Amino acid sequence: MNHRKAKESFYIFLCYFSAVLATLALFGILGKIALEALPSLNLEFLLTPENEAEGFGGGIANAIVGTILLSLLSTIFASPIAVGTAIYMQRYAKNARLVKSFSFIIDVLSGTPSIVLGIFGLMFLVYYMRFITGGFSLISGAIALTILILPVIERSAEEAIKSVPAELEDASYALGATKWETISKITLPNATTGIVTGIVLSIGRAAEESAVVVLTAGYSQFMPEFGVAAKESMLFGIRISPLQNLVASLPITVYHSFEFPSMVSPSEGFAAAFVLIVIVMVINAITRLIVWRRRIG
């Protein structure tokens, strides 16, 4: 009996120790980044685009806006496709072999290294489709990120739809509702929390990506501008800004500070990294809040 209690106490201690160790590592990393970022972390640095600052670096407003645009646009592209796929997989697909094939493809896509997707985006979107995308551009980066985050949303949506009680749908069918009426008025409303959670998490996943963005969106020191201009090499002879223009992002800003240490202060790279971490943490906090409100509701 004493041996069993000692064994249990040992494993409890091991679990607590692991949790404390992971927490200390997290705070150590965040603390180091925050301390290194302090010399550059101010409102002027956050609100000034790089082209308006002196020299190379000096502001990350363009990168913050670019990161937000890339994340939101890719999520807007991916969400309908992912949710539609999840609905088909869970409510329409009858062929078990087809379902397994789709599931396998999604698993492969979710496990594909981001650098591979980046190279695909570089070859197909940036070069072969440059008369549509404009080459390195916001739309190229957003489409490549769409492929990256699509499995995240699809899996979350699929699990959310799967968790809807069958009794609710059976009651809807018993009242004479069609399959689509049941899905749109019963299934999706009850699966909203899980779907929204996947969508919000995918925004954070897109925001922190660097390999895909550097190979498709490029980099610009200027703030994104909205407008239409004539461009003969583009489809229909027009360029739509900022969709078909270069766009900055925070991960690339961090990379630049270490690629050009003689031109950009390392503290600016740490400041950009800290801002990116804060954005991702806020997105995760929003996700937790959505789940918590759903549970108490």
Side-chain angles (χ1 to χ4, degrees), residues 4-258:
R4 292 175 62 186
K5 285 187 176 180
K7 190 175 181 180
E8 181 183 4
S9 299
F10 170 74
Y11 282 114
I12 291 174
F13 167 77
L14 192 63
C15 292
Y16 277 114
F17 177 75
S18 300
V20 170
L21 191 64
T23 304
L24 288 175
L26 174 64
F27 279 105
I29 293 170
L30 292 178
K32 171 66 174 177
I33 292 174
L35 286 174
E36 295 287 348
L38 281 177
S40 297
L41 203 58
N42 53 65
L43 280 178
E44 183 180 359
F45 179 71
L46 297 176
L47 300 178
T48 303
E50 191 174 350
N51 68 299
E52 294 182 10
E54 294 183 4
F56 195 46
I60 60 170
N62 57 313
I64 293 174
V65 174
T67 298
I68 293 172
L69 287 175
L70 282 166
S71 303
L72 292 180
L73 196 59
S74 59
T75 305
I76 291 170
F77 288 164
S79 296
I81 301 171
V83 175
T85 302
I87 292 172
Y88 174 77
M89 295 275 284
Q90 287 298 315
R91 291 296 181 267
Y92 283 101
K94 302 297 182 183
N95 190 323
R97 184 176 297 178
L98 182 64
V99 172
K100 288 181 180 179
S101 299
F102 268 117
S103 183
F104 175 74
I105 291 170
I106 293 168
D107 287 339
V108 170
L109 189 60
S110 65
T112 302
S114 58
I115 188 67
V116 175
L117 294 176
I119 293 172
F120 165 78
L122 176 66
M123 296 301 297
F124 182 72
L125 298 170
V126 175
Y127 288 105
Y128 292 128
M129 301 295 290
R130 61 182 177 273
F131 65 95
I132 296 176
T133 63
F136 290 101
S137 61
L138 172 60
I139 192 69
S140 294
I143 293 173
L145 286 173
T146 297
I147 301 172
L148 182 75
I149 66 175
L150 194 147
V152 177
I153 305 175
E154 196 280 335
R155 286 304 185 201
S156 297
E158 200 170 331
E159 290 300 320
I161 292 171
K162 194 185 298 183
S163 67
V164 176
E167 294 81 3
L168 293 176
E169 295 183 342
D170 291 340
S172 176
Y173 291 132
L175 292 172
T178 63
K179 180 180 279 289
W180 176 245
E181 287 175 337
T182 301
I183 290 171
S184 61
K185 296 180 180 179
I186 302 296
T187 307
L188 291 180
N190 282 278
T192 299
T193 300
I195 294 172
V196 171
T197 299
I199 291 172
V200 174
L201 286 175
S202 71
I203 297 174
R205 177 73 178 88
E208 65 189 14
E209 183 54 45
S210 57
V212 172
V213 173
V214 73
L215 291 171
T216 54
Y219 187 82
S220 172
Q221 295 180 316
F222 297 86
M223 285 285 282
E225 295 181 354
F226 295 84
V228 178
K231 182 76 172 179
E232 290 185 4
S233 60
M234 300 295 296
L235 185 68
F236 305 123
I238 58 171
R239 177 189 289 273
I240 303 172
S241 301
L243 292 177
Q244 295 169 318
N245 283 338
L246 293 162
V247 66
S249 63
L250 286 170
I252 310 306
T253 302
V254 176
Y255 172 72
H256 281 169
S257 68
F258 294 96

Side-chain angles (χ1 to χ4, degrees), residues 193 196-197 199-201 203 278-293:
T193 300
V196 171
T197 299
I199 291 172
V200 174
L201 286 175
I203 297 174
V278 169
I279 291 174
V280 174
M281 288 179 67
V282 168
I283 290 170
N284 280 277
I286 292 172
T287 305
R288 299 274 182 173
L289 180 62
I290 292 170
V291 175
W292 175 73
R293 286 179 64 87

